[in-house]
Amino acid sequence: MCVAGGWDGFNILSSVELYNPVVNTWTNIASMNTKRCGHALVSYNGRLYTFGGEDDEGIDLNSMESFDPREGKRKLLKPMNEGRWALCGVVYNDEIYAIGGYGLISVERYNIRTNTWTNVGSLNHEREGSCACVVNGKIYVIGGYDVDASKSIEAYDATINEWKIETNMETSRIYASVVAL
């Protein structure tokens, strides 16, 4: 497991820790290049990708960096097209998606091979503090904040590059977590 950045109640962090359940220990590894909270962190092919968030000056970040734990090296990657705080991110079809964020309906897709970002279909609602996962070939974005807390769930269909409202949860949720079972 890996935990990166965040806020300790006083400061925005750049530190990163790895947990080893075999020996029940946390180890500090190379810090991120940028202090950030409200960011996204995904793993793909053994590398960690951290993107977006907010820095300690309250600026919404568009930066992205990767870390290879085997080599112990960080790498700055091409920034997103816009700064995103309180976004969510997933890996889908070998690409990374940066979804929504404070005041945003836009979604961007990162091509790992070409180090490029492309805008894709926009969400139907702003989604600050939503969560996302991939199930049955679709990206699902759940909850978040627009004018108030949302119960809605949107699904992305890559074949038509479109987000559709799927259903509503029983309870409105902001800053929740989701995992596919």
Side-chain angles (χ1 to χ4, degrees):
M1 289 185 287
C2 175
V3 62
W7 184 58
D8 68 2
F10 302 99
N11 302 293
I12 305 290
L13 305 172
S14 62
S15 60
V16 181
E17 296 182 50
L18 288 179
Y19 177 69
N20 182 335
V22 175
V23 292
N24 192 31
T25 59
W26 286 93
T27 305
N28 285 306
I29 61 171
S31 291
M32 295 182 291
N33 293 307
T34 304
K35 294 178 181 182
R36 58 180 85 224
C37 74
H39 56 283
L41 172 67
V42 298
S43 174
Y44 180 74
N45 282 346
R47 291 188 77 89
L48 302 171
Y49 294 84
T50 311
F51 47 103
E54 183 178 76
D55 68 9
D56 54 1
E57 295 179 18
I59 296 171
D60 293 351
L61 300 170
N62 66 346
S63 60
M64 181 184 210
E65 55 188 279
S66 69
F67 179 73
D68 187 332
R70 298 164 297 221
E71 297 174 3
K73 293 183 181 177
R74 288 205 168 275
K75 182 178 179 182
L76 289 174
L77 302 170
K78 183 161 184 181
M80 295 180 288
N81 296 316
E82 58 189 314
R84 295 175 183 276
W85 173 75
L87 74 157
C88 56
V90 296
V91 175
Y92 174 68
N93 287 342
D94 299 318
E95 295 179 303
I96 297 170
Y97 284 72
I99 304 165
Y102 176 75
L104 299 173
I105 62 170
S106 60
V107 178
E108 300 179 50
R109 176 179 61 217
Y110 178 73
N111 184 306
I112 296 164
R113 292 177 306 286
T114 62
N115 189 33
T116 56
W117 286 96
T118 305
N119 289 327
V120 297
S122 292
L123 298 163
N124 291 287
H125 301 286
E126 290 180 15
R127 294 203 182 258
E128 166 194 343
S130 59
C131 50
C133 65
V134 177
V135 177
N136 294 332
K138 291 184 181 179
I139 300 172
Y140 287 86
V141 177
I142 297 144
Y145 183 83
D146 185 353
V147 175
D148 54 19
S150 178
K151 294 180 180 182
S152 72
I153 298 171
E154 295 187 45
Y156 179 69
D157 185 339
T159 61
I160 58 173
N161 189 31
E162 191 172 293
W163 291 89
K164 292 185 179 180
I165 301 291
E166 290 282 308
T167 186
N168 284 329
M169 297 178 286
E170 296 294 320
T171 305
S172 299
R173 297 179 191 273
I174 305 169
Y175 301 111
S177 298
V178 65
V179 64
L181 298 177

